[in-house]
């Protein structure tokens, strides 16, 4: 089983390979760079599922016959803000690049500055799109519920992790280990559903991950 991921980021590819291995999915994992690069996609969808499928469909036009293509889209949805930032999570503050995470968190804290604890509910959501070699198109979704803390805590994770407090864990998603995060996070839960589907398509074995840097 050959799976192309709609990203050229080697770190994200390595993270996906780790998840597949943990879940026992046998595949040869390839990045978009091995299909001529990730094409420009108009991520104009109104949901995570729509944007994930847009990316998967774009890359599917470049991969060799017989390969699967997957793409993910995720973000944070805050109840008090009517589900925002939602699909705009990565560009919530308008800042692009290395300072985006800090700017996004700062804007979110400011938006909730006078909001009481009981109204700071939020959830992380992830949608994974899969385009199969025979044309089937699947969506797998995961979610984790929590609250927006009043200040950042924890040095792990990225994005909104330092602000996202999970009551059953008693800490933010920036304070838990990567292994635990992979098993309880929105992305981890979506991957479990994807893995269950792929296991039915596969005979089992060892994952291989190729890389061109």
């Amino acid at each position: 089983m050959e799976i192309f991921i709609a990203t050229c980021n080697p770190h994200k590819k390595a993270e996906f390979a780790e998840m597949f291995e943990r879940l026992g999915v046998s595949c040869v994992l390839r990045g978009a760079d091995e299909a001529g690069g990730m094409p420009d996609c108009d991520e104009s969808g109104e949901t995570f599922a729509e944007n994930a499928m847009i990316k998967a469909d774009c890359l599917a036009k470049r991969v060799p016959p017989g390969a699967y293509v997957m793409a993910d889209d995720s973000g944070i949805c805050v109840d008090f803000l009517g589900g925002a930032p939602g699909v705009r999570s990565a560009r919530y503050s308008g800042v692009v690049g290395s300072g985006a995470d800090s700017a996004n968190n700062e804007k979110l804290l400011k938006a909730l500055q006078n909001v009481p604890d009981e109204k700071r509910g939020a959830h992380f959501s992830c949608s994974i799109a899969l385009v199969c070699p025979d044309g089937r198109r699947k969506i797998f979704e995961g979610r984790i519920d929590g609250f927006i803390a009043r200040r950042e805590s924890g040095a792990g994770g990225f994005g909104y992790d330092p602000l996202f407090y999970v009551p059953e864990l008693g800490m933010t998603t920036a304070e838990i280990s990567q292994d635990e995060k992979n098993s309880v996070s929105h992305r981890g839960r979506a991957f479990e559903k994807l893995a269950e589907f792929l296991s039915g398509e596969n005979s089992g074995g060892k994952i291989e991950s190729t890389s061109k840097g």
Side-chain angles (χ1 to χ4, degrees), residues 63-83:
V63 304
Y68 292 76
V69 176
M70 62 170 285
D72 77 309
D73 198 53
S74 61
I76 195 166
C77 305
V78 181
D79 298 343
F80 185 80
L81 301 179

Side-chain angles (χ1 to χ4, degrees), residues 82-104:
V87 294
R88 292 185 55 82
S89 292
R91 52 192 185 277
Y92 182 48
S93 65
V95 175
V96 178
S98 60
D101 287 353
S102 295
N104 288 339

Side-chain angles (χ1 to χ4, degrees), residues 5-207:
I5 307 172
T7 181
C8 292
N9 186 324
H11 300 292
K12 193 168 187 179
K13 179 181 169 184
E15 178 184 344
F16 285 3
E18 182 179 321
M19 286 189 176
F20 277 135
E21 186 169 13
R22 178 175 64 84
L23 294 169
V25 177
S26 174
C27 64
V28 176
L29 202 58
R30 302 189 186 280
D33 55 309
E34 296 177 79
M38 186 64 203
D40 291 333
C41 299
D42 180 16
E43 295 180 45
S44 56
E46 296 182 2
T47 66
F48 298 117
E50 289 176 0
N51 281 335
M53 189 58 74
I54 287 171
K55 289 184 281 189
D57 283 337
C58 282
L59 184 59
K61 298 173 183 178
R62 295 191 172 189
V63 304
Y68 292 76
V69 176
M70 62 170 285
D72 77 309
D73 198 53
S74 61
I76 195 166
C77 305
V78 181
D79 298 343
F80 185 80
L81 301 179
V87 294
R88 292 185 55 82
S89 292
R91 52 192 185 277
Y92 182 48
S93 65
V95 175
V96 178
S98 60
D101 287 353
S102 295
N104 288 339
N105 286 340
E106 183 179 348
K107 181 175 180 178
L108 183 57
L109 284 175
K110 186 174 182 179
L112 300 178
Q113 186 173 1
N114 298 314
V115 177
D117 292 346
E118 63 270 18
K119 294 184 178 181
R120 300 172 73 91
H123 67 271
F124 269 126
S125 183
C126 174
S127 294
I128 298 176
L130 182 73
V131 177
C132 303
D134 59 7
R136 285 172 297 160
R137 299 159 81 245
K138 303 284 185 179
I139 292 288
F140 306 92
E141 299 183 310
R143 166 175 171 155
I144 182 172
D145 293 282
F147 296 88
I148 302 301
R150 294 191 175 275
R151 62 187 62 83
E152 295 186 16
S153 182
F158 57 91
Y160 298 92
D161 282 337
L163 289 179
F164 189 73
Y165 181 84
V166 184
E168 58 262 39
L169 299 177
M171 60 186 73
T172 70
T173 46
E175 296 177 296
I176 62 177
S177 69
Q178 188 61 49
D179 284 345
E180 186 172 15
K181 184 180 178 183
N182 285 346
S183 64
V184 304
S185 73
H186 53 306
R187 184 173 287 108
R189 290 171 176 176
F191 254 89
E192 287 179 0
K193 296 174 183 178
L194 169 66
E196 183 178 357
F197 173 80
L198 290 176
S199 293
E201 306 258 305
N202 208 347
S203 59
K206 182 180 178 181
I207 296 177

